[in-house]
Amino acid sequence: MTYVTDPRVDDYIEALPDWQQAICREVRDLVHGADPEVAETIKRTVQPYFVLQGNICALLAAKDHVNVFLYDGAIVPDPEGIITGGHDNKTARTVAVRRGETINAPALTAMFEQIIANNRAGGWRKLKH
């Protein structure tokens, strides 16, 4: 898959242990695969964000996992139960991926696609009210 990368996101990922790099690269491929117009950037000084008419997701490596923050205002369905945290968060929910775990790519891609569709429809804040 070919897409435009931000060298600052490359730097963030390359500084991580191999297993976290693999998770971040897979998530990066999935979010770009959800829509060819997805762009990546850095916000909050160092955190990789993936955006298209609003935030889609962000990556944050922790000691024993990688957090994928989904910016959906908790309105995107999660039929596969991949959300691991932030159920009551008004802005973002989390999918935590630990070393050795397999990402549920179809479920995560479906959520990315719905977040993108919601962004194009005015964003979750508008849709929620």
Side-chain angles (χ1 to χ4, degrees), residues 9-25 27 42-44 46-50 57-69 71 94-99:
V9 174
D10 290 331
D11 291 345
Y12 179 89
I13 293 172
E14 288 167 9
L16 300 173
D18 289 347
W19 66 272
Q20 287 183 321
Q21 288 183 35
I23 292 167
C24 290
R25 288 189 178 114
V27 171
I42 295 289
K43 295 185 180 184
R44 303 173 194 252
V46 297
Q47 195 169 2
Y49 273 73
F50 299 88
C57 70
L59 298 172
L60 181 61
K63 184 178 180 178
D64 63 349
H65 64 282
V66 173
N67 284 314
V68 181
F69 293 100
Y71 288 91
T94 307
V95 176
V97 183
R98 299 190 185 307
R99 185 180 201 152

Side-chain angles (χ1 to χ4, degrees), residues 4 8 29 31 43 51 69 71 75 87 92 98 109 116-117:
V4 176
R8 299 169 302 166
D29 286 347
V31 71
K43 295 185 180 184
V51 299
F69 293 100
Y71 288 91
I75 66 171
H87 295 281
R98 299 190 185 307
T109 299
I116 291 165

